[in-house]
């Protein structure tokens, strides 16, 4: 199969034309309606799958080429045409999904393709109705306003101008006053625009609640869960998980902060000190992206034959874009071209340890989607969001034994920081999730009440955090800097659920590395054919919703983090 994958520069799909697509869909609807047997419908489904692979590949290429050169007017225009076309495409697809959901051959189709696709299509059908089209447009305008407001930040510091992303580099500056001053600048921007941040969020909560009511939900929580495809767990499960994090992880996080305070020689660890773990600063990789690819190639060659073959293919077909360039968009992600069965990794290396993590993380996503290419439906190429991150985050741990290739003598320190940072993330992650439940269960709360909700979350999950004299955050405004809360409601617990699975892979790999790795590779092949809990348990992991799931991991982590015995 890999021989058939062309070089990236040769990948091209003609832009779809709405009229032609509508005609193709109409033919598919008709063929489904007229099907005389389950097999007839299976044939139609397979034709639809080919059509979707082509459209998806066009979409992925169009977005990617725009991100690679945001100043190219042709790429930009193509991207705009795509944005206009996509709600119409969604509509065409939902109509077809509804036919499959109501098919007289549904049980045969489920036997052939599995139930997960039907569960996903049901969620699509529940969350979309022409009655909410205007609300959807309003929602996306509001999230665009939030993005614009954030991007308008011009923070002057020592004669240079920074935005909210670039100022973040000072969070790990060894000079404490630099960390403090830049934190003040950051949060002063939020304080100066507090009314607008409040107003945008207030309107988002209102429009989302309105959509929920129109679609027959009590409030936005249920709609939010459906939009995130929470298939085999519910609010009660998530609540149990948050309590486990509070009970098991918060004490370790407090011990880690105390360790950090001592390492930095401070009387009190303040919010602006949290980004620097020890006075030596963060470990740095020993070379540029070309060097990193060489190291990664050595690593994958030793790690696993399938990962080795895959990484070789990614390099040969030019499917890695790692360097910063003028007009290239920021960030790092993995995308896929299902027509070719090939993924693509996009990143912006900046010379920090983050480069190693990004490359490994995105390789996890890429290897998963590549491994899932034999799945019978497009819907199974990627799992739902919380499951997607299992593959990326777990590979970060499964490559731990090779970190000497990147960091030399600093590798042990890198591993310790990485493990510690991820444990420290869990309480924050569940705070973001719990907060959103409070917000959408109380849609009439005022902005001041929402700030109180957030302060309750901080008292519970981040009890040692001290904002000192930082503006805005001292009044419960920190969440306004977390873009997921505005842009993708309830998309956050996903990182903590996946991390809980990845940490289990880490703990298991310390016991029997080969076995853990083999189960990881097999999990990647299952793609999105199962919902989250089923995928986790299929890989020999415990569901994060089970009480006690995090205890074994934390017990193993304590000595690895050089923490004293449990109190
Ligand atoms: Zn990811």
């Amino acid at each position: 199969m890999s021989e058939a994958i062309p070089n990236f520069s040769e990948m091209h799909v003609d832009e779809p034309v709405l009229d032609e697509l509508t005609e193709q869909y109409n033919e598919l609807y008709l063929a489904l309606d007229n099907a005389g047997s389950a097999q007839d419908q299976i044939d139609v489904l397979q034709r639809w799958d080919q059509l979707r692979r082509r459209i998806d590949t066009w979409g992925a290429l169009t977005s990617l080429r725009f991100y690679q050169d945001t100043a190219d007017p042709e790429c930009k225009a193509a991207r705009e045409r795509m944005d206009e076309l996509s709600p119409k495409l969604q509509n065409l697809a939902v109509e077809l999904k509804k036919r499959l959901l109501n098919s007289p051959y549904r049980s045969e189709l489920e036997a052939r393709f599995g139930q997960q696709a039907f569960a996903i299509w049901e969620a699509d059908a529940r969350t979309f109705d022409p009655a909410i089209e205007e609300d959807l447009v309003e929602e996306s305008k509001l999230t665009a306003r939030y993005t614009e407001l954030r991007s308008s930040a011009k923070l002057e510091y020592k004669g240079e101008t920074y935005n909210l992303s670039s100022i973040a580099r000072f969070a790990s500056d060894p000079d404490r006053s630099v960390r403090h001053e830049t934190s003040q600048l950051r949060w002063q921007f939020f304080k100066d625009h507090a009314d607008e941040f409040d107003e945008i969020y207030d309107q988002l909560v209102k429009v989302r609640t309105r959509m929920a009511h129109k679609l027959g939900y009590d409030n936005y929580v249920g709609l939010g869960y459906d939009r995130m495809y929470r298939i085999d767990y519910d609010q009660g499960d998530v609540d149990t998980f948050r309590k486990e994090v509070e009970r098991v992880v918060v004490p370790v996080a407090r011990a880690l902060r105390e360790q950090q305070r001592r390492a930095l020689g401070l009387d009190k660890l303040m919010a602006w000190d949290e980004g620097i773990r020890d006075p030596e600063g963060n470990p740095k990789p020993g070379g540029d992206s070309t060097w990193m690819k060489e190291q990664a190639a050595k690593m994958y060659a030793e790690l696993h034959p399938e990962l080795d073959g895959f990484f070789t293919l990614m390099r040969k077909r030019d499917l890695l874009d790692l360097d910063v360039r003028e007009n290239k968009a920021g960030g790092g992600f993995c995308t896929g071209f299902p027509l070719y069965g090939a993924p693509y990794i996009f990143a912006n290396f900046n010379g920090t340890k983050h480069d190693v993590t990004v490359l490994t993380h995105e390789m996890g996503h890429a290897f998963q989607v590549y491994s899932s290419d034999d799945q019978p439906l497009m819907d199974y190429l990627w799992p739902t969001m919380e499951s997607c991150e299992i593959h990326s985050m777990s590979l970060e741990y499964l490559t731990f034994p090779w970190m000497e290739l990147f960091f030399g003598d600093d590798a042990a320190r890198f591993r310790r920081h990485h493990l510690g940072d991820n444990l420290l993330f869990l309480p924050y992650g569940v705070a973001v999730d719990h907060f959103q439940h409070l917000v959408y269960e109380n849609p009439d709360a005022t902005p001041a009440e929402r700030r109180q909700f957030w302060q309750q979350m901080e008292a519970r999950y981040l009890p040692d955090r001290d904002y000192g004299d930082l503006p805005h955050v001292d009044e419960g405004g920190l969440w306004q800097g977390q873009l997921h809360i505005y842009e993708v409601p309830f998309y956050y617990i996903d990182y903590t659920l996946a991390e809980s699975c990845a940490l289990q892979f880490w703990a298991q790999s310390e016991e029997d590395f080969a076995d853990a790795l083999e189960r990881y590779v097999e999990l990647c092949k299952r793609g999105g054919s199962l919902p989250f809990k089923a995928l986790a348990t299929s890989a020999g992991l415990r569901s994060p919703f089970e009480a006690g799931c995090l205890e074994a991991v934390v017990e193993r982590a304590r000595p690895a983090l050089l923490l004293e015995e449990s109190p």
Side-chain angles (χ1 to χ4, degrees):
M1 173 182 53
S2 60
E3 288 312 306
I5 296 174
N7 194 282
F8 175 64
S9 60
E10 288 152 28
M11 291 185 183
H12 171 81
V13 178
D14 285 336
E15 187 170 321
V17 180
L18 183 61
D19 288 349
E20 289 170 16
L21 276 176
T22 309
E23 210 171 295
Q24 282 169 307
Y25 263 96
N26 282 333
E27 279 170 29
L28 292 169
Y29 301 154
L30 197 69
L32 276 181
D33 295 345
N34 294 338
S37 66
Q39 188 54 50
D40 284 354
Q41 287 210 330
I42 289 170
D43 293 342
V44 180
L45 228 165
Q46 279 162 343
R47 272 165 57 204
W48 176 47
D49 215 61
Q50 279 309 310
L51 176 66
R52 289 197 294 171
R53 279 178 186 257
R54 197 158 50 78
I55 298 172
D56 249 59
T57 301
W58 163 75
L61 285 168
T62 305
S63 299
L64 178 63
R65 292 202 165 114
F66 170 70
Y67 286 131
Q68 288 182 315
D69 188 356
T70 55
D72 183 321
E74 250 173 67
C75 293
K76 192 170 182 223
R79 157 78 192 252
E80 281 167 5
R81 288 196 300 276
M82 183 184 83
D83 287 346
E84 258 169 61
L85 192 62
S86 40
K88 298 186 174 84
L89 280 174
Q90 225 183 329
N91 223 342
L92 289 168
V94 167
E95 281 310 308
L96 195 132
K97 290 171 187 176
K98 283 184 182 160
R99 281 177 161 78
L100 293 167
L101 291 171
N102 298 318
S103 161
Y105 308 108
R106 177 158 165 176
S107 57
E108 287 100 319
L109 298 181
E110 281 185 349
R112 170 75 174 76
F113 296 106
Q115 285 174 3
Q116 172 71 352
F118 289 83
I120 289 173
W121 299 338
E122 264 166 7
D124 284 332
R126 275 200 299 275
T127 56
F128 183 78
D129 188 281
I132 64 160
E133 239 170 283
E134 273 176 33
D135 299 315
L136 288 171
V137 173
E138 188 183 333
E139 183 188 29
S140 81
K141 278 187 185 152
L142 286 164
T143 57
R145 252 181 80 196
Y146 173 76
T147 311
E148 275 165 39
L149 180 55
R150 280 180 64 109
S151 331
S152 73
K154 289 193 173 55
L155 312 174
E156 304 291 333
Y157 187 62
K158 294 188 173 167
E160 301 273 340
T161 307
Y162 298 91
N163 59 28
L164 290 174
S165 309
S166 58
I167 198 94
R169 82 168 72 136
F170 296 111
S172 56
D173 197 281
D175 184 337
R176 195 181 197 198
S177 61
V178 170
R179 298 196 300 271
H180 184 205
E181 286 158 14
T182 51
S183 291
Q184 280 179 315
L185 276 175
R186 176 187 183 84
W187 293 113
Q188 188 60 45
F189 172 79
F190 281 88
K191 191 177 172 74
D192 291 344
H193 299 84
D195 288 346
E196 204 178 345
F197 278 113
D198 279 339
E199 190 223 303
I200 295 171
Y201 195 58
D202 203 60
Q203 291 191 32
L204 277 168
V205 172
K206 300 239 149 43
V207 71
R208 286 173 181 150
T209 302
R210 191 160 67 235
M211 286 193 276
H213 289 162
K214 284 185 190 173
L215 293 166
Y217 296 88
D218 290 341
N219 57 40
Y220 184 74
V221 181
L223 174 55
Y225 271 54
D226 269 349
R227 281 172 115 187
M228 290 304 303
Y229 304 110
R230 312 271 185 234
I231 304 283
D232 62 351
Y233 61 97
D234 60 20
Q235 293 176 47
D237 293 316
V238 174
D239 189 52
T240 304
F241 173 69
R242 288 194 305 252
K243 289 194 175 113
E244 282 299 288
V245 171
E246 186 183 2
R247 184 176 71 83
V248 180
V249 184
V250 169
V252 193
R254 300 185 78 168
L256 277 167
R257 290 298 183 207
E258 173 56 17
Q259 181 191 55
Q260 185 178 13
R261 183 194 67 77
R262 271 187 278 120
L264 294 170
L266 301 171
D267 288 338
K268 176 116 186 65
L269 188 84
M270 300 302 290
W272 52 88
D273 300 317
E274 290 186 4
I276 178 165
R277 294 298 298 277
D278 56 43
E280 293 162 80
N282 294 330
K284 276 196 176 75
D288 63 5
S289 66
T290 310
W291 179 85
M292 294 254 294
K293 280 188 261 189
E294 289 303 322
Q295 306 311 105
K298 281 183 222 164
M299 172 172 83
Y300 290 120
E302 287 175 28
L303 182 60
H304 195 277
E306 289 184 49
L307 278 152
D308 178 32
F310 173 62
F311 190 66
T312 306
L313 174 83
M314 292 293 280
R315 293 180 78 193
K316 262 195 192 157
R317 299 291 190 268
D318 207 11
L319 298 167
L320 300 155
D321 179 0
L322 307 177
D323 289 316
V324 176
R325 283 188 310 274
E326 201 181 343
N327 298 325
K328 179 176 164 180
F333 58 83
C334 167
T335 185
F337 312 123
L339 188 65
Y340 304 111
Y344 192 93
I345 292 175
F346 178 98
N348 279 281
F349 277 9
N350 61 8
T352 68
K353 66 170 182 173
H354 197 53
D355 296 349
V356 178
T357 308
V358 168
L359 181 57
T360 313
H361 181 101
E362 302 309 336
M363 258 296 282
H365 286 306
F367 180 65
Q368 177 268 305
V369 73
Y370 177 73
S371 306
S372 303
D373 196 55
D374 293 336
Q375 287 290 339
L377 291 172
M378 269 282 300
D379 310 82
Y380 294 162
L381 289 184
W382 302 96
T384 47
M385 299 300 241
E386 73 296 70
S387 308
C388 268
E389 297 303 325
I390 303 177
H391 312 96
S392 51
M393 291 173 164
S394 301
L395 193 59
E396 294 170 24
Y397 292 115
L398 291 168
T399 54
F400 259 16
W402 285 270
M403 285 300 109
E404 271 75 3
L405 285 168
F406 299 93
F407 296 105
D409 293 344
D410 249 353
R413 214 158 58 87
F414 169 82
R415 287 188 282 267
R416 205 167 67 241
H417 283 192
H418 192 80
L419 182 62
D421 287 346
N422 288 341
L423 280 168
L424 283 166
F425 172 73
L426 293 177
Y428 174 73
V430 300
V432 168
D433 180 68
H434 196 164
F435 170 73
Q436 296 185 81
H437 283 78
L438 294 179
V439 165
Y440 290 107
E441 282 161 6
N442 300 282
D444 297 320
T446 63
E449 286 168 330
R450 287 188 197 117
R451 281 195 276 277
Q452 284 168 11
F453 291 160
W454 178 254
Q455 285 179 320
Q456 291 164 19
M457 298 300 99
E458 287 184 334
R460 189 162 174 175
Y461 300 109
L462 306 160
D464 295 326
R465 183 168 280 178
D466 191 334
Y467 292 115
D469 61 354
L470 293 182
H472 200 64
V473 282
D474 62 340
E475 297 167 334
L478 182 106
W479 60 273
Q480 295 189 310
Q482 187 63 59
L483 65 90
H484 302 70
I485 293 178
Y486 281 76
E487 298 186 357
V488 203
F490 292 110
Y491 178 30
Y492 213 69
I493 197 73
D494 306 66
Y495 299 111
T496 63
L497 293 173
E499 186 59 53
S500 303
C501 293
L503 284 164
Q504 292 182 63
F505 266 124
W506 166 74
Q508 294 173 356
S509 74
E510 296 265 295
E511 297 265 330
D512 184 341
F513 187 86
D515 176 63
L517 180 62
E518 221 38 68
R519 281 185 285 109
Y520 170 82
V521 169
E522 289 309 309
L523 175 68
C524 288
K525 293 177 186 166
R526 254 164 252 143
S529 60
L530 294 168
F532 171 69
K533 245 167 46 179
L535 278 176
T537 50
S538 79
L541 307 174
R542 288 177 72 182
S543 154
F545 307 121
E546 236 178 78
C549 145
L550 291 166
E551 246 146 11
V553 166
V554 163
E555 281 320 303
R556 190 168 269 282
R558 279 186 175 270
L561 294 165
L562 310 179
L563 291 172
E564 293 88 334
E565 296 288 281
S566 347

